Amino acid sequence: MLKKLKLKHLLAFALAAIAAIMSMTIGQSWEPVVAQNQSQNQVQKQAQKPAEAPLQTISLQNAGLQLQEVAQGVYALIASTDFPPASPAVAIANGGIVIGSESVLVIDPFQTSDLAELLIATVKSLTDKPIKYVLNTHYHFDHTGGNVAFVKQNIPVIGRGVIREYIQSGKNNTNGITPPTVIVNSQTDIWLGDRQVRIERVDGHSAGTDLVAYVPDAKVLFTGDMVFNKRIPYTGDSDIRQWQGSLYRLIATFPEAKVVPGHGDVTDVTGLQAQQAYFSWLERTALEWKAQILTKEQVLEKFAKVPDAYKDYKFKGIYPLNLESAYEQFTRSRTIPLIP
């Protein structure tokens, strides 16, 4: 019995010694590896959450969208978020639905396929008519990311100009987005049974891909990002003077229209005029920089604060980009030297 006890004690001592040696030789590197693997797994799970979220959990409310009937059979889905949004599940841009006697047009299917599926479900809740067309008012990801949900159903997606080339090259965060399948480059009328929708080209916001859609019998104009209503506009690939010219034309052509902007609440011609006034102020300010011979760095530092006139606007994070765009576009000509 005594020999057995001694043997047990020796075995226990040996195991303890082995454990101590293992902890001294490999313990320091083993624990961080485990922690790192756990962290990577958590990141992977978090990254997969939006894709794995069941469709029934997506709603207009948690997508930050409000459905508004702008006219009979014409709806806007208005996004309330600031930028950047708190979650990929929150819609950044506005969407549109136009219902005719035979079919439906969808405008700007948001930035993800899940939000596009929500848009499809919303259409089904309003009508039993099929979706016949989808319109991308321009190439930016927050208006085109949901294209894939419609292309999978063989529904034509309409865009303009070089929109396919931009998206296929991944321009401006459009990597992986499905491009439009139909390209129009001039005024085009589509019919949803007895309801006409006129698609017109405009310029200035997104490098030759801008379109607007007008519903004549309802007097509703979907402007895409030609109008940011009480939002600081995105000007990353804009031509502000062209944008101004397009706004003048829209004001003259559609003075009585209800206006669904690309971002912000439904408005009317006053929303177009406010966008125009903002750009006029920006141009005047930039010409003052030019007169003072300010550098871009001086402009970004001295004028970093959003003016009080626009303090209630959302998308303030984009404001420095507006300063850069204005500087490049309005002060880039060389100052003519004085003749002695």
Side-chain angles (χ1 to χ4, degrees):
M1 176 67 74
L2 186 59
K3 287 182 179 180
K4 287 182 180 180
L5 287 173
K6 285 182 180 179
L7 185 61
K8 285 182 180 179
H9 285 302
L10 287 171
L11 184 59
F13 177 81
L15 289 172
I18 291 168
I21 292 168
M22 290 287 284
S23 65
M24 285 188 290
T25 57
I26 67 170
Q28 291 177 344
S29 62
W30 175 74
E31 289 183 0
V33 170
V34 172
Q36 184 180 9
N37 288 340
Q38 289 174 341
S39 178
Q40 288 175 345
N41 289 337
Q42 288 173 353
V43 170
Q44 289 171 352
K45 286 179 181 178
Q46 289 171 355
Q48 291 170 355
K49 280 180 183 177
E52 292 177 351
L55 186 60
Q56 60 266 28
T57 65
I58 301 174
S59 67
L60 293 175
Q61 183 177 1
N62 58 33
L65 290 167
Q66 182 181 15
L67 180 66
Q68 295 183 20
E69 187 171 17
V70 184
Q72 185 175 3
V74 182
Y75 297 85
L77 291 104
I78 302 300
S80 61
T81 187
D82 207 336
F83 187 85
S87 161
V90 174
I92 301 170
N94 296 338
I97 299 169
V98 182
I99 301 172
S101 60
E102 296 178 4
S103 58
V104 177
L105 166 69
V106 163
I107 299 170
D108 287 342
F110 307 119
Q111 76 263 24
T112 68
S113 59
D114 282 351
L115 288 168
E117 293 291 352
L118 174 62
L119 180 51
I120 292 170
T122 303
V123 170
K124 289 179 178 179
S125 73
L126 297 171
T127 181
D128 59 358
K129 307 293 190 300
I131 298 171
K132 188 174 184 180
Y133 302 105
V134 176
L135 176 68
N136 290 159
T137 59
H138 59 291
Y139 83 91
H140 291 161
F141 79 95
D142 50 330
H143 299 256
T144 58
N147 284 352
V148 61
F150 298 91
V151 173
K152 283 181 177 178
Q153 297 184 34
N154 295 316
I155 297 171
V157 178
I158 301 170
R160 175 195 160 201
V162 291
I163 186 170
R164 284 181 57 83
E165 290 81 355
Y166 282 173
I167 290 175
Q168 288 170 338
S169 68
K171 182 179 174 69
N172 216 344
N173 298 318
T174 55
N175 293 293
I177 288 176
T178 301
T181 55
V182 177
I183 299 299
V184 298
N185 287 309
S186 59
Q187 180 177 302
T188 302
D189 291 339
I190 61 176
W191 293 86
L192 310 172
D194 59 4
R195 171 162 270 174
Q196 175 191 10
V197 181
R198 174 159 293 175
I199 299 170
E200 295 193 14
R201 55 179 289 171
V202 284
D203 286 295
H205 170 61
S206 64
T209 65
D210 293 304
L211 292 167
V212 298
Y214 181 63
V215 187
D217 68 345
K219 293 185 177 180
V220 176
L221 177 67
F222 290 87
T223 67
D225 281 6
M226 299 304 292
V227 178
F228 286 69
N229 187 20
K230 296 191 181 300
R231 307 287 194 275
I232 300 295
Y234 177 78
T235 58
D237 46 7
S238 68
D239 182 320
I240 295 174
R241 284 196 173 122
Q242 275 194 343
W243 198 334
Q244 283 279 63
S246 292
L247 289 169
Y248 275 112
R249 181 166 67 84
L250 292 174
I251 290 167
T253 307
F254 306 108
E256 299 179 357
K258 295 178 183 177
V259 175
V260 181
H263 302 268
D265 293 336
V266 174
T267 182
D268 52 24
V269 71
T270 60
L272 296 167
Q273 292 166 337
Q275 185 73 83
Q276 188 181 62
Y278 175 82
F279 285 136
S280 294
W281 165 81
L282 194 59
E283 181 174 358
R284 288 194 307 270
T285 303
L287 292 175
E288 291 174 7
W289 304 336
K290 182 177 180 179
Q292 297 171 37
I293 319 178
L294 297 179
T295 66
K296 187 193 295 187
E297 291 71 24
Q298 288 172 325
V299 165
L300 293 174
E301 181 179 355
K302 187 176 180 180
F303 296 89
K305 182 184 176 184
V306 176
D308 288 344
Y310 310 109
K311 66 181 180 181
D312 295 329
Y313 279 32
K314 292 182 178 180
F315 294 16
K316 290 189 182 72
I318 299 176
Y319 183 65
L321 180 60
N322 284 204
L323 299 181
E324 287 194 50
S325 298
Y327 188 90
E328 293 294 336
Q329 294 180 37
F330 301 130
T331 72
R332 58 190 168 190
S333 59
R334 292 184 179 182
T335 303
I336 300 173
L338 295 174
I339 299 173

